[in-house]
């Protein structure tokens, strides 16, 4: 199709960048003051997308203001080498995003998403946590989503969301589902005992300190004030604790309780979003084999068929009042 065709639409939004940039960073601390040498590693999957004044690359095939996605990828690797904040994904994302909007005057916003994969230290008998050997500790990822906005002529601003995804949990008691709407479309029996399993996605929105302007030089101060690692640990631990201990009337009610508990434990979190698939475990009918598989309170179900699909999907955002 020719570019001389009449435009019927206008470019109402656009962003571009590099996705799935995989980078691992090792930090080595030599032995000193009687302490043994230690190494740390992070492994990230980064998406960096830019917004700005480059409409002409779409509507006039003019690339002169396009920072190549290849350069965006290179920037990610360079930052992984030079950024003092690389080991904390929120600060690394803020560094990368602030870099793009300050270096290029025609770039207004940077959307930086990072998934941090789990490398946990290997526990060795008689040694404890190994100084430089790690194990992939499950599918769970720590996720960070940062939008750095340099549109204003005043301060640069940012929205920082953090959380987890693919955190798979299951409980074999303490979950029921009763009193739901019944009509001619309903076949689901009420159950006062069931398996509750979900793969947790949680995103919480962090309030950045209003008195510290967002600049690359201020990232240390911002990090010290917000304590992103502590927030991540609070959100994860609280999510798991509430899942384990809440007497669940529904996925909805447990989601709500977990979010409220996070808000009560972390004053710098202003909003919590959860996405919880209800991964169904169906009781297997063993009657054809003259076997009981649960009946009433006395005989609880013992054999289940885990069902991959369909699943329920329960989502909500709880915002601090
Ligand atoms: O916790 C639940 N919430 C629902 O909305 C629902 N719907 C359903 O069929 N089972 C469940 N479980």
């Amino acid at each position: 199709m020719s570019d001389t065709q009449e435009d019927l639409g206008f470019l109402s939004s656009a962003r571009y960048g590099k996705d799935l940039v995989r980078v691992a960073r090792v930090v080595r601390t030599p032995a000193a003051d009687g302490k043994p040498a230690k190494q740390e590693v992070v492994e990230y999957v980064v998406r960096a997308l830019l917004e700005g004044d480059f409409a002409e690359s779409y509507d006039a095939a003019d690339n002169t203001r396009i920072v190549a996605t290849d350069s965006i990828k290179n920037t990610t690797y360079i930052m992984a080498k030079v950024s003092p904040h690389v080991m904390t994904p929120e600060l690394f994302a803020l560094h990368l995003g602030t870099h793009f909007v300050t270096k290029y005057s025609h770039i207004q916003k940077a959307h930086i998403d990072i998934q941090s994969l789990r490398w946990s230290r290997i526990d060795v008998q008689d040694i404890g946590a190994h100084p430089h050997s790690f194990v992939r500790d499950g599918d769970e990822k720590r996720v960070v989503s940062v939008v750095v906005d340099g549109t204003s002529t005043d301060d640069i601003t940012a929205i920082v969301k953090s959380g987890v995804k693919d955190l798979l949990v299951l409980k074999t008691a303490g979950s029921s589902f009763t009193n739901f709407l019944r009509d001619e479309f309903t076949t689901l029996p009420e159950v006062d005992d069931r398996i509750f399993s979900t793969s947790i996605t949680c995103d919480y929105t962090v309030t950045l300190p209003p008195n510290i302007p967002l600049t690359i030089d201020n990232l240390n101060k911002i990090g010290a004030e917000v304590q992103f690692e502590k927030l991540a640990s609070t959100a994860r631990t609280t999510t798991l604790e509430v899942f384990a201990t809440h007497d669940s009337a529904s996925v909805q009610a447990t989601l709500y309780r977990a979010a409220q508990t996070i808000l009560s434990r972390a004053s710098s979190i202003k909003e919590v979003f959860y996405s919880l698939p209800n991964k169904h475990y169906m009781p297997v009918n063993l009657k054809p084999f003259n076997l009981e598989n649960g009946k009433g309170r006395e005989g609880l179900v013992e054999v289940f068929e885990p069902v991959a699909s369909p699943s329920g999907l329960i989502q909500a955002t709880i915002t601090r009042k």
Side-chain angles (χ1 to χ4, degrees):
M1 193 164 295
S2 126
D3 277 3
T4 54
Q5 184 202 23
E6 185 197 355
D7 288 347
L8 298 178
F10 68 98
L11 190 73
S12 50
S13 82
R15 62 180 74 158
Y16 79 95
K18 208 65 141 187
D19 193 15
L20 301 173
V21 181
R22 297 191 54 174
V23 58
R25 170 65 144 95
V26 177
V27 171
R28 299 182 178 87
T29 314
D33 304 330
K35 286 193 189 151
K38 200 175 170 184
Q39 308 203 351
E40 285 171 83
V41 67
V42 288
E43 182 170 339
Y44 295 151
V45 182
V46 180
R47 171 188 288 184
L49 304 182
L50 307 180
E51 274 185 64
D53 302 326
F54 43 69
E56 69 283 358
S57 73
Y58 290 82
D59 61 22
D62 174 353
N63 290 336
T64 49
R65 283 200 280 188
I66 288 295
V67 179
T69 71
D70 192 61
S71 313
I72 295 171
K73 176 198 69 183
N74 292 342
T75 307
T76 308
Y77 293 138
I78 293 163
M79 285 292 175
K81 165 70 179 162
V82 304
S83 173
H85 311 291
V86 63
M87 304 308 274
T88 303
E90 291 88 345
L91 288 174
F92 184 57
L94 280 167
H95 193 166
L96 205 49
T98 309
H99 165 86
F100 285 120
V101 303
T102 49
K103 172 143 183 83
Y104 304 105
S105 59
H106 67 292
I107 299 299
Q108 272 108 43
K109 286 189 186 178
H111 301 256
I112 313 293
D113 291 285
I114 298 179
Q115 290 192 11
S116 178
L117 311 183
R118 271 176 91 81
W119 286 122
S120 299
R121 286 183 195 283
I122 295 178
D123 215 15
V124 178
Q125 204 176 356
D126 302 332
I127 297 181
H130 197 272
H132 60 247
S133 298
F134 304 84
V135 56
R136 169 60 43 81
D137 191 8
D139 286 340
E140 174 193 352
K141 289 117 194 145
R142 178 161 161 196
V143 292
V144 167
S145 178
V146 165
V147 184
V148 178
D149 187 344
T151 314
S152 158
T153 47
D154 303 333
D155 286 346
I156 297 171
T157 59
I159 296 170
V160 178
K161 295 183 182 197
S162 289
V164 292
K165 89 182 257 239
D166 301 330
L167 174 57
L168 183 58
V169 291
L170 177 149
K171 66 196 278 185
T172 55
S175 167
S176 62
F177 189 61
T178 61
N179 297 323
F180 48 89
L181 186 155
R182 295 205 86 83
D183 60 17
E184 66 275 28
F185 295 99
T186 313
T187 56
L188 187 72
E190 307 216 340
V191 280
D192 53 19
D193 187 86
R194 65 174 181 173
I195 284 184
F196 176 5
S197 177
T198 186
S199 175
I200 298 169
T201 296
C202 171
D203 286 315
Y204 52 87
T205 309
V206 180
T207 309
L208 293 178
N211 51 334
I212 311 176
L214 176 54
T215 62
I216 289 170
D217 286 346
N218 279 343
L219 286 175
N220 262 336
K221 272 194 210 158
I222 293 170
E225 178 120 350
V226 178
Q227 300 202 31
F228 290 106
E229 301 292 346
K230 198 167 157 214
L231 283 186
S233 156
T234 301
R236 181 175 187 276
T237 309
T238 304
T239 300
L240 290 176
E241 263 179 41
V242 173
F243 174 78
T245 58
H246 184 238
D247 193 10
S248 176
S250 64
V251 177
Q252 287 89 332
T254 301
L255 178 161
Y256 186 79
R257 190 46 44 214
Q260 295 290 0
T261 311
I262 288 179
L263 292 181
S264 76
R265 290 182 181 177
S267 58
S268 60
I269 293 181
K270 59 179 163 199
E271 192 165 272
V272 182
F273 166 80
Y274 278 110
S275 179
L276 302 180
N278 188 4
K279 298 172 87 65
H280 302 302
Y281 281 66
M282 302 300 191
V284 175
N285 179 10
L286 295 177
K287 283 213 177 85
F289 315 104
N290 288 325
L291 291 168
E292 282 295 355
N293 189 22
K295 197 176 172 199
R297 278 240 152 255
E298 295 309 307
L300 298 175
V301 177
E302 291 172 307
V303 182
F304 299 84
E305 182 190 7
V307 178
S309 61
S311 72
L313 183 61
I314 315 299
Q315 300 184 327
T317 303
I318 316 299
T319 306
R320 192 179 288 281
K321 287 180 189 166

